[in-house]
Amino acid sequence: MRTAHPTRRGLRMTRIAFIGLGHMGLPMARNLLKAGFTLTVFDLVPAAMDELAKEGAVRASSALDAVQDADVVVSMLPASRHVEGLYLGDNGLLAALKPGTLVLECSTIAPDVARKVHQAAKARAIELLDAPVSGGTAGAAAGTLTFMIGGAASTLEKARSLFEAMGKNIFHAGPDGAGQVAKVCNNQVLAVQMIATAEAMAMGVANGLEPAVLAEIMRQSSGGNWALEKYNPWPGVMENAPASKGYSGGFMAELMAKDLGLAQEAAQASGSSTPMGALALQLYRLLLKQGKGKQDFSVVQQLFVE
Ligand code: NAD
């Protein structure tokens, strides 16, 4: 049963179906609502829809229900298998969308799977972009995400105002799947920097330094990086970082392990040497074995403390 929110009706003619309202999808969908777009939302977890329904979105009873009449579909799901399940096959969304529909697939998935979904979309005259993001939950909430986009440049231009409602930096990475390749390269760097920061924090504190003092010195010095700038892994150094909230919220370690696995697959495909990425993957697998997969990826700090 769908209930339209009258105050949002008619603000913009573009009807968006947003699928996947997790840590990232929910704030991204909220920014589209704020920009005045008409949204129908779906997530397997009903509670995720409740919040947006209060803010003017229409709740759908399934993904197929959500895309009825949609001009645009945005999806933000955990991994490749969820995206394949959503779009492909007889009951998949591509079979239900009208030709000309624009699809922005924002999840981080294998480049090969992205290309497979691109092909299936083309066969039905649906315009699809792989558009993974960077910037974390804070960037999603602030509408300052970076989008790394694979697909036709002309499709990107059609979708630009939607990306601009959710992000600040909109990059055309290249053809189908190129957004995903850029994303796994970026996340490999992020993981390596996070691990390097965590081990240095632990070493400095074990040698008598105050964590906040060490963090600030490194942030302003040649060791400065995104983790030190925005996401310090040591509890209490940054009030709003997941480390200071029991490593809750943020970007789950199991998703980082997934991205590092995708990076290794990409390296394998091209014969690239990525020893740092390989080691990072092993450390994240260890965290998963310790039962920390659902915690924020900065929980890697705990590998280095007593
Ligand atoms: P999440 O697990 O919090 O959210 C995923 C949501 O998708 C969940 O609410 C889940 O119920 C829903 N879902 C799964 N299958 C579904 C289906 N078939 N239909 C409808 N809903 C479905 O994950 P997240 O942190 O929001 O990450 C989403 C994607 O963005 C991942 O690919 C991740 O790698 C990437 N990413 C995350 C971050 C971050 O900081 N969290 C940053 C950049 C990119």
Side-chain angles (χ1 to χ4, degrees):
M1 186 66 183
R2 300 155 114 212
T3 44
H5 193 288
T7 56
R8 287 285 170 192
R9 269 250 160 113
L11 268 182
R12 289 216 188 166
M13 295 314 290
T14 308
R15 289 159 301 189
I16 303 174
F18 202 114
I19 320 283
L21 306 167
H23 288 102
M24 296 296 284
L26 191 135
M28 289 165 70
R30 179 174 283 136
N31 282 329
L32 288 170
L33 270 179
K34 279 190 199 152
F37 290 103
T38 302
L39 246 71
T40 301
V41 295
F42 179 68
D43 193 290
L44 296 175
V45 179
M49 290 185 279
D50 293 345
E51 218 172 307
L52 285 173
K54 283 186 217 140
E55 297 171 29
V58 177
R59 276 177 77 122
S61 57
S62 67
L64 274 173
D65 179 35
V67 304
Q68 278 176 26
D69 306 323
D71 306 304
V72 177
V73 178
V74 185
S75 52
M76 195 50 165
L77 304 181
S80 298
R81 66 190 166 88
H82 306 92
V83 173
E84 283 191 281
L86 182 69
Y87 286 105
L88 305 179
D90 290 345
N91 295 321
L93 292 192
L94 291 182
L97 297 176
K98 57 184 186 236
T101 307
L102 195 56
V103 177
L104 315 184
E105 210 306 289
C106 299
S107 328
T108 305
I109 61 171
D112 280 350
V113 173
R115 288 183 202 112
K116 191 166 146 189
V117 183
H118 268 284
Q119 276 214 320
K122 277 191 187 122
R124 297 193 52 85
I126 288 159
E127 296 196 70
L128 185 137
L129 295 168
D130 53 294
V133 306
S134 174
T137 47
T144 56
L145 290 172
T146 294
F147 283 91
M148 311 169 196
I149 298 163
S154 55
T155 306
L156 194 167
E157 287 319 312
K158 287 185 194 165
R160 188 170 285 281
S161 65
L162 296 154
F163 288 127
E164 284 175 349
M166 300 183 279
K168 192 173 67 167
N169 301 306
I170 322 293
F171 290 110
H172 186 222
D176 299 356
Q180 298 297 345
V181 176
K183 174 65 184 171
V184 297
C185 290
N186 179 76
N187 271 26
Q188 180 173 286
V189 174
L190 172 64
V192 169
Q193 285 187 337
M194 181 57 82
I195 295 163
T197 300
E199 69 179 18
M201 287 297 299
M203 178 175 71
V205 172
N207 281 280
L209 265 69
E210 280 297 322
V213 171
L214 173 61
E216 185 58 11
I217 291 170
M218 292 196 294
R219 188 179 76 83
Q220 304 256 21
S221 305
S222 45
N225 66 60
W226 190 86
L228 284 165
E229 202 62 56
K230 303 231 163 96
Y231 219 94
N232 197 294
W234 194 273
V237 169
M238 279 179 180
E239 199 185 332
N240 290 320
S244 301
K245 301 175 194 163
Y247 297 102
S248 64
F251 180 42
M252 287 186 280
E254 67 183 23
L255 291 180
M256 179 54 97
K258 171 209 52 159
D259 292 357
L260 289 165
L262 295 176
Q264 288 300 294
E265 283 171 27
Q268 184 71 21
S270 56
S272 305
S273 172
T274 54
M276 306 300 282
L279 180 55
L281 173 60
Q282 295 305 322
L283 291 169
Y284 274 96
R285 282 200 183 140
L286 204 56
L287 274 178
L288 266 48
K289 284 195 190 307
Q290 293 179 352
K292 294 177 179 164
K294 301 282 179 211
Q295 293 184 266
D296 180 75
F297 81 112
S298 59
V299 75
V300 74
Q301 182 66 74
Q302 293 181 349
L303 289 182
F304 303 105
V305 288
E306 296 296 303

